């Protein structure tokens, strides 16, 4: 039991649930539960990890609902700490999952790429962006299973169109 799950009631039927990201200096992803007329909708889901799942389900209980009651999930972007548990949430609840079509394309490419190639690509991108070597080094020695939820995300039921430029 993760009794230290700190859910924040933001008012108006919106709660934030800090879902942990294992072995990451960011610490957690804020997942939002939003009441709707058809049932609760999540904004993001958190990293695909047993501790993250436990925290999410306990957080939902603290909000007065459960994963079974979820109506939908909106994934804000393709990072695995935001969509990692979306497949598991869908399996447990039958909720629809929506993601922007451009993010879906990235998820599909990541899922279809060999882990070593993906890690090499990411290390090069981070190095070019000026990331410190101590942040890039773990990618050079990462094991394939370290991709975790980046490879586990399934296609959503719905895609969200982009906004037209003004």
């Amino acid at each position: 039991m993760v009794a230290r799950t700190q859910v924040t009631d933001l008012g108006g039927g919106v709660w934030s649930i800090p879902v942990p990201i294992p072995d990451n200096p960011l610490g957690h992803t804020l997942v939002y539960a939003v009441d709707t007329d058809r049932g609760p909708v999540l904004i993001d889901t958190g990293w695909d990890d047993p501790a993250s799942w436990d925290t999410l389900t306990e957080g939902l209980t603290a909000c007065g609902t459960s994963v079974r009651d979820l109506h939908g999930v909106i994934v804000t972007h393709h990072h695995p700490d935001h969509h990692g548990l979306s497949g598991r949430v869908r399996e447990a609840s039958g909720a629809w999952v929506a993601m922007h079509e451009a993010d879906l394309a990235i998820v599909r490419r990541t899922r279809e790429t060999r882990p070593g190639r993906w890690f090499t690509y990411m290390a090069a991108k981070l190095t070019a962006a000026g990331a410190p070597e101590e942040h890039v080094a773990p990618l050079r020695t990462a094991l394939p299973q370290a991709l975790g939820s980046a490879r586990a995300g399934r296609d959503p039921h719905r895609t969200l169109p982009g906004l037209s430029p003004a």
Side-chain angles (χ1 to χ4, degrees):
M1 179 192 289
V2 182
R4 56 189 183 275
T5 301
Q6 295 189 347
V7 172
T8 303
D9 183 347
L10 301 171
V14 179
W15 292 267
S16 68
I17 307 167
V19 176
I21 308 169
D23 303 317
N24 188 298
L26 294 175
H28 64 269
T29 299
L30 283 179
V31 172
Y32 294 91
V34 180
D35 276 340
T36 74
D37 292 342
R38 294 189 175 189
V41 172
L42 287 184
I43 310 296
D44 294 329
T45 60
W47 189 270
D48 186 9
D49 179 79
S52 301
W53 175 256
D54 291 346
T55 300
L56 177 62
T57 59
E58 290 171 14
L60 289 169
T61 299
C63 295
T65 191
S66 75
V67 72
R68 292 183 306 281
D69 298 328
L70 293 173
H71 176 65
V73 175
I74 298 172
V75 178
T76 60
H77 62 285
H78 70 273
H79 291 167
D81 59 315
H82 291 263
H83 81 89
L85 286 170
S86 60
R88 190 162 179 190
V89 166
R90 181 178 10 193
E91 288 172 9
S93 66
W96 52 260
V97 177
M99 174 186 288
H100 188 277
E101 54 201 19
D103 287 302
L104 175 57
I106 293 168
V107 168
R108 286 178 175 160
R109 272 196 316 270
T110 301
R111 188 173 53 221
E112 295 164 1
T113 301
R114 289 185 337 271
R117 184 174 179 181
W118 189 86
F119 287 127
T120 299
Y121 168 80
M122 287 306 299
K125 286 295 224 183
L126 289 169
T127 299
E133 179 55 30
E134 64 267 17
H135 292 222
V136 178
L139 291 173
R140 300 186 203 288
T141 59
L143 298 173
Q145 57 269 34
L147 268 177
S149 60
R151 299 185 71 76
R154 289 197 247 160
D155 291 352
H157 291 102
R158 305 171 182 187
T159 56
L160 303 173
L163 299 175
S164 299

